[in-house]
Structure formats: C-alpha cells, structure tokens
Amino acid sequence: MTKLIPCPLFINGEWTTVSGTATTPVHNPSDGSVIAETPQCGAGVVEEAVAAAAAAFPRWSETPPVERARLLFRLKVLLEDHFEELAQGVTQEHGKTLTEARGDVRRGLENIEYACGIPSLLMGDALENVARGIDCDSIRQPLGVVAGIAPFNFPAMVPLWMWPLAIACGNTFLLKPSEKVPLTTNRIAEFARQAGLPPGVLNVVHGGREVVDALLKHPQIKAISFVGSTKIAQYIQATGIAHGKRVQAAGGAKNSIVVMPDADVGPTATGILEGAFGCAGERCMAGSTAIMVGKAAETVLPHLVAAVTKIRVGPTDRDPAAQMGAVITRQHADRVCQLISQAEGEGAEPLTDGRNVKIGAVPQGFYVGPTILDRVAPGMITMQEEVFGPVLNVARVETLEAAIELANASPYGNGAAIFTRSGQAAREFRHRSSAGMVGINIGVPAPLAFFPFSGRHASFFGDLHLQGRDGVAFFTQQKVTTTRWFGAGEGTIWADK
Ligand code: NAD
C-alpha cells in the first residue's frame, strides 16, 4: 500500500492532528487509489480554531490594509513559484487535466491579486455639506471571525474566492475545504504560513456535516461563505441566518447554451464541447444543455459528435495526452451513468455513450466518457437534475423565443450562453435570460475575480455574491459618521446674542 499523504489541521499557525476521529478517504480518481484520509472533526476543533481566530482578530484588524496587502503579495509570489506543483496536486486529488488544474490555480491566484488592491477597495465615501456645516463619510470595517465552506470541484479556486479577500478586509478566517479534496487547501495554507501570515488569521478545519454544523452555530462566527450543491446551500443559508450570521451560499446549476442557425459552426462546436465536457462536466458553469434553434442541429451537431468521439479519456496524472479525466468518486460515476440510463429510458437518444468506459491501465479509475443525449424534453431527468458529469443534453426548438423559454424554465440561474452572429439575437437573449452570468459566443461565461460570481434563483442564496466588490461588501460592515465642528459661539440656543 502506498504511503498516505498527511492531512493535518491548521490552527493558530500550526499544523496539528486529531486522534480518534473517523476519517473519509481521499482518492486519486485517475486510478481509484486512496491517497489520504480526511479527519472528520467536530465542535471541539471548531472551538479551538475560533478561539485562535478571535485572539488574532484585534491585532490583524488594526494592521494597516497596505501591510495586509503586502502579505498577500508575498503569498502570490510563493504560489507562482510553486504553480506547477499546485496544479499537479489538484490533478492528483481531483482528476481534472493538468491544463484544467492550471486554470483552477490561476483563477484562484487572480483572487489574491484582486485582494492585493484592498487599500483602494476598502475606501469609503464622503460628502461635504450634507447640511450647512455638516459633513458625512462612510468607512468599511471587518466583521470579526468569518468562515468558508468549499465544494470539491475547484480545490484551489473556490477556497481562494473566500479567504484572501476576507482577511484582506481585516477579518480572521476558518476554512473548511471539501473532505474529498483537502490537500490543495493545506498546501496553500502552508504557503500562507511561509509568507508570514500571523497565527490564527487563517485556520483550516476538516470534515463534513458535523464540523459544518459547528461552524454554522458558533456564536463568534459572524459570516459564512458557502459554495456547493443547492440542497446544502439552502440548509447553510437557513441555519446560518437562524444563528444570526450573514450568509452567501452559491448552489448548483443547470446551464443552457442556445445555438442559433447563423452561429459559426467550428467555434460553436468547440464552445459547447468545452462547456459540457471541460473538467468532466464537474463545473457549476458547465453548459449541460445545448438548445439548437432551427437548422443549427443539422449544421453544428455532426461536428460536435465527431469532435466528442475523439476526446481522449484517461488518467490525467500520468497520461499527458488525456483530454478528459475521471469524475470525483466511484459513487458519483455510477450516479452519472444511472442518470444517462434513466434519460434513455425516457426517450433521449445517446449520440455518444460514456457508460462502461474502462481504461485498461487503470481499471479502478472513476471514468465516465463524454455522452451526448439528443432529443431531450423538458421533463426528462437529465433536464431536471444537475448531473455534474460529462453529459450534454441536446434539445431542439424552432425559434429564439422558444429557446429562451426553455432555458429560463430551469429552476437554477447560474449561467446561460448564446452562439450567434446576430447582435439583435444576442441582445434579446442577454436581456431576457434569467441567469446571472451570460455568455455571448462564450461557452463558459465564468466571471474573473474582479466581477461578482452572480448566480440567481436556486444557484444562489443571499444578497452579496462571491468575488469582486460584492465580496468586499460581504466581508465588511459600514459605518457612517456625520460631523459638525463649532466655531466660537455657534451651536447653542442659549448663547447670549
Ligand atoms: P456539496 O454540497 O456536497 O458539498 C459542499 C460542502 O458542503 C463540502 O464542504 C461538504 O463537506 C459540505 N456538506 C456536504 N453535505 C453536507 C451536509 N449534509 N451538511 C453540511 N455540510 C455538508 O457539493 P460538492 O459535491 O462538493 O460540489 C459540487 C456542487 O457545488 C455542485 O452542485 C456545483 O454546482 C456546486 N458549485 C457551485 C458553484 C457556484 O458558484 N454556484 C461553484 C462550484 C461548485
């Protein structure tokens, strides 16, 4: 048996282990092997980490923003220096290709770069003479101890959506990464330690529901940032709010790509392919339903099918030619295949079929091949549920109107895209789409660090989104000061005239 990678907790600037807790296996999805074990922590660990974060808060919040930024610059340099190592780590614990893993780390790093601008981002407003001789200004102050809970699908990026901006704002942080991919977070926390982050400013706790509940209920935690599936996002929001916390909770998704008859065939097929099958479909911005308008199915679909049949599925950690990796667990692979079967039973026509994919060199890997299901209808299971695997629905409609209606019928509201050469159709689509992030001739319209990740409906619960100015507003509270200074003899009604 290969040696397990240690998975300690990071509390008060030190790496510690917990004994006697249950553990969850961390797999290398490429070959199914167990590479680490995540400790299932509980309330005791949270208590310890909150105490460390609370003790660090007074000094950290008084640290000038420019000094906090300087520390994040140092962290950025360290992460750049270890960029390839981090990307390889993402590939190992997640299964995505090295190119995709590099994107995961790069998008995360951009959030650190954004947070480095905190002296400007924290600036408030001021207005002179709100009344005669009276001025008013607003400043932003940190909340205190805050926490983040992350999903498995972007081991580097999603945690980095959360804590760099939060600590740049002067808060101290408890991070709980997904128990399926805890190792990238630990590696980045180690670089934060090496960059000189004071003890207690960032703490990493591990586990599942028990540790999450302890975070949600702890009276000293002021805010929770969550990214994960819709069911859990709803639970996080309801429980967090019931315990007096500010909550931002990003949930699951079901995103459509509308293809107009005038769309450029090559770029459109590529855009759909990347949208549906990039990261093996394990993306909240995956374009999981292509809505073909009129003749678009005849022109684009054959190119798409031809390209998809050539996708090389394989072990991304050892085969540099692999274009698509395994999904996160055996259980998840089975669920994806079962959803494909169910959709087929409901009348969908598989044009490519990823069930029963076996890679000879790694028979225990968690593989599902890229699957295109043609002629799906609104009620079918794969149109209703987030599959979160390499499965593309193809629906056919006759008009843009019908396409918008079908795309907007989704209870989710993360992303939606249109491929067209018509500015008028694109404008109409952007205006009427019920999704919060729209792509025009872009398959995965995921906003970068300086824009909010603006999902709607069942894809987001809360008011202020992750990333960008929304992120700064979420992790701070405003104080408005109204000021008047008196000249000699001014301001009292009893003054002698
Ligand atoms: P998940 O909801 O299963 O887990 C997310 C986090 O919640 C993990 O840290 C997990 O430990 C914790 N958790 C799981 N079950 C819990 C429970 N019963 N009680 C308390 N905590 C619990 O999500 P996942 O499978 O890790 O990630 C995939 C999901 O995340 C997909 O639905 C995807 O769309 C979504 N996602 C959304 C966005 C977005 O911006 N909207 C971004 C990335 C991923």
Side-chain angles (χ1 to χ4, degrees):
M1 192 178 141
T2 46
K3 202 161 167 270
L4 294 181
I5 302 166
C7 185
L9 317 172
F10 185 61
I11 297 178
N12 207 24
E14 288 181 4
W15 291 104
T16 68
T17 50
V18 272
S19 51
T21 60
T23 57
T24 308
V26 179
H27 291 100
N28 175 352
S30 290
D31 61 12
S33 62
V34 175
I35 56 170
E37 287 177 337
T38 309
Q40 291 291 316
C41 299
V45 160
V46 167
E47 202 59 57
E48 204 186 320
V50 169
F57 179 70
R59 190 144 177 222
W60 180 248
S61 57
E62 291 299 333
T63 302
V66 69
E67 286 181 30
R68 300 199 294 253
R70 217 165 274 147
L71 212 143
L72 288 166
F73 274 114
R74 282 203 292 275
L75 172 62
K76 175 194 152 50
V77 170
L78 276 170
L79 298 187
E80 294 285 6
D81 287 349
H82 295 84
F83 189 88
E84 277 305 305
E85 176 208 324
L86 283 164
Q88 280 163 13
V90 168
T91 289
Q92 190 190 20
E93 69 176 342
H94 179 280
K96 61 178 77 174
T97 67
L98 204 48
T99 305
E100 291 163 346
R102 288 184 188 122
D104 191 336
V105 179
R106 179 56 60 202
R107 297 284 89 77
L109 259 163
E110 284 161 359
N111 281 267
I112 297 175
E113 289 165 355
Y114 181 74
C116 285
I118 202 64
S120 308
L121 295 170
L122 272 185
M123 276 183 192
D125 292 320
L127 182 65
E128 199 180 36
N129 276 339
V130 290
R132 277 181 188 75
I134 297 179
D135 303 331
C136 200
D137 66 64
S138 70
I139 57 171
R140 289 195 171 275
Q141 296 183 316
L143 304 176
V145 179
V146 299
I149 300 159
F152 79 81
N153 65 322
F154 279 89
M157 178 186 79
V158 172
L160 291 172
W161 279 356
M162 300 170 175
W163 70 265
L165 197 53
I167 69 161
C169 291
N171 302 286
T172 53
F173 207 90
L174 268 71
L175 173 63
K176 196 216 76 76
S178 165
E179 63 275 38
K180 295 176 185 133
V181 293
L183 302 174
T184 302
T185 278
N186 274 12
R187 197 73 191 112
I188 292 174
E190 170 56 20
F191 290 127
R193 193 189 66 78
Q194 289 175 20
L197 200 66
V201 173
L202 169 68
N203 305 275
V204 179
V205 296
H206 290 296
R209 179 164 189 163
E210 206 183 328
V211 80
V212 169
D213 280 344
L215 292 171
L216 289 172
K217 292 174 185 169
H218 200 291
Q220 271 178 285
I221 295 178
K222 303 295 179 207
I224 301 272
S225 182
F226 173 87
V227 177
S229 59
T230 289
K231 199 171 131 230
I232 309 300
Q234 282 172 308
Y235 170 72
I236 299 284
Q237 192 206 29
T239 315
I241 286 176
H243 288 83
K245 296 178 201 329
R246 195 180 274 200
V247 178
Q248 55 179 191
K254 191 91 226 172
N255 312 305
S256 294
I257 299 180
V258 171
V259 184
M260 296 300 286
D262 65 352
D264 289 315
V265 173
T268 302
T270 306
I272 299 171
L273 186 137
E274 284 168 359
F277 304 116
C279 297
E282 292 174 317
R283 267 206 291 231
C284 68
M285 290 294 282
S288 49
T289 299
I291 304 176
M292 301 285 175
V293 180
K295 290 200 174 341
E298 282 167 42
T299 53
V300 177
L301 209 46
H303 286 263
L304 185 63
V305 173
V308 167
T309 49
K310 290 193 195 121
I311 292 178
R312 185 179 165 103
V313 180
T316 50
D317 62 339
R318 61 203 77 173
D319 176 4
Q323 293 163 307
M324 202 180 96
V327 298
I328 191 71
T329 57
R330 162 63 43 214
Q331 191 190 21
H332 187 50
D334 291 345
R335 176 179 178 270
V336 173
C337 292
Q338 184 246 316
L339 287 171
I340 297 170
S341 301
Q342 199 171 333
E344 190 181 23
E346 291 168 343
E349 297 172 15
L351 301 181
T352 63
D353 188 347
R355 293 169 287 185
N356 307 316
V357 164
K358 281 270 176 276
I359 312 294
V362 279
Q364 303 305 320
F366 311 141
Y367 295 97
V368 181
T371 302
I372 300 179
L373 296 174
D374 196 8
R375 299 185 189 280
V376 295
M380 291 180 184
I381 188 79
T382 55
M383 286 291 274
Q384 300 286 324
E385 288 203 18
E386 182 184 37
V387 178
F388 222 56
V391 179
L392 174 71
N393 296 312
V394 176
R396 297 162 183 245
V397 298
E398 283 311 313
T399 60
L400 174 61
E401 182 68 32
I404 293 175
E405 203 174 301
L406 182 56
N408 285 354
S410 167
Y412 297 100
N414 239 24
I418 186 167
F419 280 82
T420 182
R421 299 175 89 168
S422 158
Q424 198 270 335
R427 187 192 181 281
E428 181 77 2
F429 183 75
R430 178 171 86 161
H431 184 63
R432 290 176 53 198
S433 172
S434 63
M437 294 171 270
V438 171
I440 296 172
N441 297 319
I442 302 275
V444 185
L448 299 193
F450 15 89
F451 282 100
F453 211 86
S454 51
R456 297 179 179 178
H457 313 299
S459 295
F460 185 76
F461 303 91
D463 299 307
L464 295 164
H465 291 87
L466 292 111
Q467 293 199 148
R469 287 190 183 279
D470 265 27
V472 176
F474 180 76
F475 287 122
T476 54
Q477 51 193 338
Q478 297 197 73
K479 186 176 283 174
V480 179
T481 306
T482 307
T483 308
R484 172 165 61 185
W485 296 101
F486 301 109
E490 282 179 355
T492 164
I493 54 171
W494 305 113
D496 290 339
K497 295 282 178 189

